[in-house]
C-alpha cells in the first residue's frame, strides 16, 4: 500500500506562489493516478488537479486553470502542485490522493475516485 505525505504549505500574501509536494512511500507510484484536492472550513472537498500515472495527461478545476500546475516525478515518487497568483479563495487544506491504475477522465475530479489520501497541508493566503 502506498502512503502519501504532503508538504510545502504555509502562510503567504495574495499574489504569491507556493509549491506543494506529495511524497509517496511503500510502493512505486508509476502505476498510480494521482490528484490534488482541497478543503476549506465548512466546504466540501473539491478537486484541484489530476494527473495520469505517466504524467502524460493533466486536468484542472476551472478555478485554478492558468495559475496552478500539477506534475510528477515518478523516479522520486513525488507529486507536485505549483501554485501561482494565489488569492484568499485558495486558502484551504490541500490533500494529495492516489489510486492504482487509470481513472477515467470524467471521474478525475471526484474524491471517491481515489482510495489513498495524505494527511493534508494547510495553505493560507492572507495580507
Amino acid at each position: 500500500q502506498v502512503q502519501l505525505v504532503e508538504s510545502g504549505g504555509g502562510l503567504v500574501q495574495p499574489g504569491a506562489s507556493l509549491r506543494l509536494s506529495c511524497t509517496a512511500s511503500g510502493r512505486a507510484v508509476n502505476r498510480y493516478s494521482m490528484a490534488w484536492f482541497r478543503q476549506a472550513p465548512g466546504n466540501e472537498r473539491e478537486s484541484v488537479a489530476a494527473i495520469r500515472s505517466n504524467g502524460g495527461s493533466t486536468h484542472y478545476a476551472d478555478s485554478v486553470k492558468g495559475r496552478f500546475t500539477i506534475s510528477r516525478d515518478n523516479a522520486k515518487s513525488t507529486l507536485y502542485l505549483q501554485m501561482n497568483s494565489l488569492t484568499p479563495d485558495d486558502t484551504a487544506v490541500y490533500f494529495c490522493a492516489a489510486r492504482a491504475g487509470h481513472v477515467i477522465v470524467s471521474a478525475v475530479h471526484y474524491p471517491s475516485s481515489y482510495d489513498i489520501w495524505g494527511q493534508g497541508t494547510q495553505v493560507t493566503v492572507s495580507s
Side-chain angles (χ1 to χ4, degrees):
Q1 182 77 332
V2 170
Q3 293 84 40
L4 304 174
V5 178
E6 302 94 336
S7 61
L11 170 64
V12 297
Q13 293 187 338
S17 298
L18 273 179
R19 188 175 82 157
L20 305 183
S21 299
C22 172
T23 301
S25 62
R27 288 188 178 179
V29 297
N30 58 311
R31 295 183 179 182
Y32 286 74
S33 297
M34 301 186 76
W36 287 98
F37 288 78
R38 67 186 182 186
Q39 188 166 18
N43 290 358
E44 294 184 352
R45 191 165 297 188
E46 65 174 3
S47 173
V48 175
I51 188 168
R52 288 189 65 175
S53 57
N54 63 2
S57 179
T58 57
H59 308 275
Y60 296 92
D62 289 341
S63 58
V64 306
K65 279 181 182 177
R67 300 188 299 123
F68 291 11
T69 302
I70 188 172
S71 62
R72 64 192 295 165
D73 186 339
N74 286 340
K76 295 182 179 180
S77 296
T78 303
L79 176 73
Y80 301 101
L81 184 68
Q82 177 66 44
M83 306 186 294
N84 299 328
S85 302
L86 286 161
T87 75
D89 287 343
D90 296 315
T91 296
V93 178
Y94 283 71
F95 299 89
C96 67
R99 179 190 178 100
H102 180 59
V103 177
I104 61 174
V105 173
S106 60
V108 297
H109 293 306
Y110 292 97
S112 58
S113 296
Y114 304 88
D115 54 3
I116 304 169
W117 292 83
Q119 83 290 347
T121 185
Q122 176 70 47
V123 173
T124 302
V125 185
S126 176
S127 55

